[in-house]
Amino acid sequence: AQSVSQHNHHVILSEAASLELGCNYSYGGTVNLFWYVQYPGQHLQLLLKYFSGDPLVKGIKGFEAEFIKSKFSFNLRKPSVQWSDTAEYFCAVTSFSGGYNKLIFGAGTRLAVHP
Amino acid sequence: NAGVTQTPKFQVLKTGQSMTLQCAQDMNHNSMYWYRQDPGMGLRLIYYSASEGTTDKGEVPNGYNVSRLNKREFSLRLESAAPSQTSVYFCASSDPGRGQTEAFFGQGTRLTVV
């Protein structure tokens, strides 16, 4: 069965620090990969997505992610975080099985950015 | 553009009571999903519906039933609520057949079972 693993459950950073959140997935077929963000008290919003092509994907708010197929990884990065980036981040993968599309999430990484 | 709308936003139930969570989307998406979100466990798929008239179990279907009433609406029913079903529930939709595999989420329903 496919699964998504996020390495860090909690990350604490100071403003201007660089961020990298790890994500690995297990699935051998064609995948689409996503990072979602959930600000406190809100629903999930899409940060960025990878379908095909350039493995370095740029999203909103200065976030980017790199798809490394050989490592089954899709790590999220931001060069300089802000206090407003405090949120929970979820990696997700879709797989196509029997003509159906299922979206599976990792456990999430809670990021706290201190001023 | 409303996107995905869930009702209610908050609900408190007593153990054994039943209720239905409603979800509607106005994006003409074929696929709809119900997730529950619990601390440290991310979002877990309860049920999904790839298209109108079809439903399938996800990772944690026990204690739940769903109905895909039409293309727009996908409801989740708890027949006999248990404290273990205290959670935040999210409905989502997508349209992989048109290349839109990313999911759009509703605002969530915070359910407490006492």
Side-chain angles (χ1 to χ4, degrees), chain B:
Chain B
N1 188 353
V4 180
T5 303
Q6 289 181 236
T7 55
K9 287 187 170 52
F10 301 93
Q11 183 72 48
V12 178
L13 290 178
K14 293 182 179 179
T15 298
Q17 286 186 314
S18 62
M19 80 161 293
T20 299
L21 280 63
Q22 307 287 352
C23 175
Q25 50 92 9
D26 62 3
M27 295 173 282
N28 202 33
H29 285 169
N30 278 303
S31 298
M32 296 185 74
Y33 312 83
W34 276 105
Y35 291 89
R36 59 177 289 172
Q37 184 180 25
D38 302 290
M41 304 190 77
L43 277 79
R44 292 181 292 169
L45 184 63
I46 304 171
Y47 271 93
Y48 67 101
S49 171
S51 61
E52 184 180 354
T54 67
T55 61
D56 285 281
K57 295 178 180 179
E59 301 169 79
V60 289
N62 291 346
Y64 305 95
N65 284 301
V66 290
S67 295
R68 183 74 182 266
L69 304 170
N70 47 55
K71 191 172 186 179
R72 289 188 66 247
E73 297 172 288
F74 187 40
S75 62
L76 178 72
R77 183 161 178 83
L78 287 69
E79 291 290 352
S80 179
S84 61
Q85 294 177 305
T86 293
S87 187
V88 181
Y89 292 84
F90 287 100
C91 177
S93 71
S94 69
D95 205 358
R98 290 189 286 164
Q100 196 162 51
T101 56
E102 68 264 38
F104 294 82
F105 285 83
Q107 294 285 343
T109 298
R110 186 173 295 274
L111 174 67
T112 302
V113 183
V114 297

Side-chain angles (χ1 to χ4, degrees), chain A residues 14-73:
Chain A
S14 298
E15 275 193 317
S18 64
L19 170 71
E20 181 160 3
L21 303 182
C23 173
N24 286 89
Y25 65 94
S26 64
Y27 183 70
T30 301
V31 295
N32 292 166
L33 297 158
F34 308 88
W35 276 97
Y36 283 84
V37 62
Q38 185 179 31
Y39 298 104
Q42 296 189 25
H43 65 294
L44 276 76
Q45 302 169 46
L46 184 67
L47 264 183
L48 48 79
K49 60 188 179 186
Y50 173 80
F51 287 179
S52 62
D54 188 345
L56 186 61
V57 180
K58 294 193 183 301
I60 61 172
K61 304 185 180 185
F63 286 90
E64 64 180 31
E66 184 175 14
F67 171 54
I68 303 179
K69 188 174 182 179
S70 60
K71 296 184 178 180
F72 296 89
S73 70

